[in-house]
Amino acid sequence: MKCINAAQILPEDLLAEIRRYTNGERLLYIPEESRRKGWGKNNGSRNFYRKRNEEMNRLYEAGSTVPELAETFHLAENTVRKIIYGKQ
């Protein structure tokens, strides 16, 4: 990690404001902006579960029971209930 004197790159008013918050500390780490993607966006799992849950809701509305859905999707009945009743 390369250290840079803040006085060389920051405007004086911003430097004064930072001094107010750091209260005399000598080092301040400023992390990079986060470039992370949300859960499941890289590998497609978010889309997979969304489609599965939509299908489960469609089948439930068409008359399938919770035990039938649990067996079909290999899930616990409580998990199926959470999905079809919208509780995550």
Side-chain angles (χ1 to χ4, degrees):
M1 177 169 63
K2 183 179 175 186
C3 291
I4 300 172
N5 186 339
Q8 293 175 339
I9 60 171
L10 298 177
E12 187 57 40
D13 56 338
L14 179 56
L15 195 55
E17 191 69 17
I18 291 172
R19 283 185 184 122
R20 277 188 44 212
Y21 285 93
T22 58
N23 199 23
E25 292 292 323
R26 303 298 271 167
L27 294 175
L28 177 66
Y29 171 72
I30 301 174
E32 244 183 67
E33 267 189 79
S34 178
R35 292 187 181 108
R36 292 183 62 184
K37 293 184 178 180
W39 177 87
K41 289 197 175 187
N42 282 342
N43 62 11
S45 59
R46 175 179 286 198
N47 194 35
F48 169 80
Y49 289 117
R50 182 185 53 78
K51 286 180 180 180
R52 180 203 65 185
N53 294 351
E54 287 172 357
E55 176 68 7
M56 196 179 304
N57 281 311
R58 188 187 65 72
L59 291 171
Y60 182 73
E61 289 174 3
S64 293
T65 65
V66 170
E68 290 171 346
L69 292 171
E71 187 174 328
T72 301
F73 291 97
H74 306 287
L75 296 170
E77 290 183 19
N78 283 339
T79 303
V80 172
R81 284 187 193 96
K82 287 178 186 177
I83 292 168
I84 61 177
Y85 299 135
K87 298 175 185 170
Q88 295 282 334

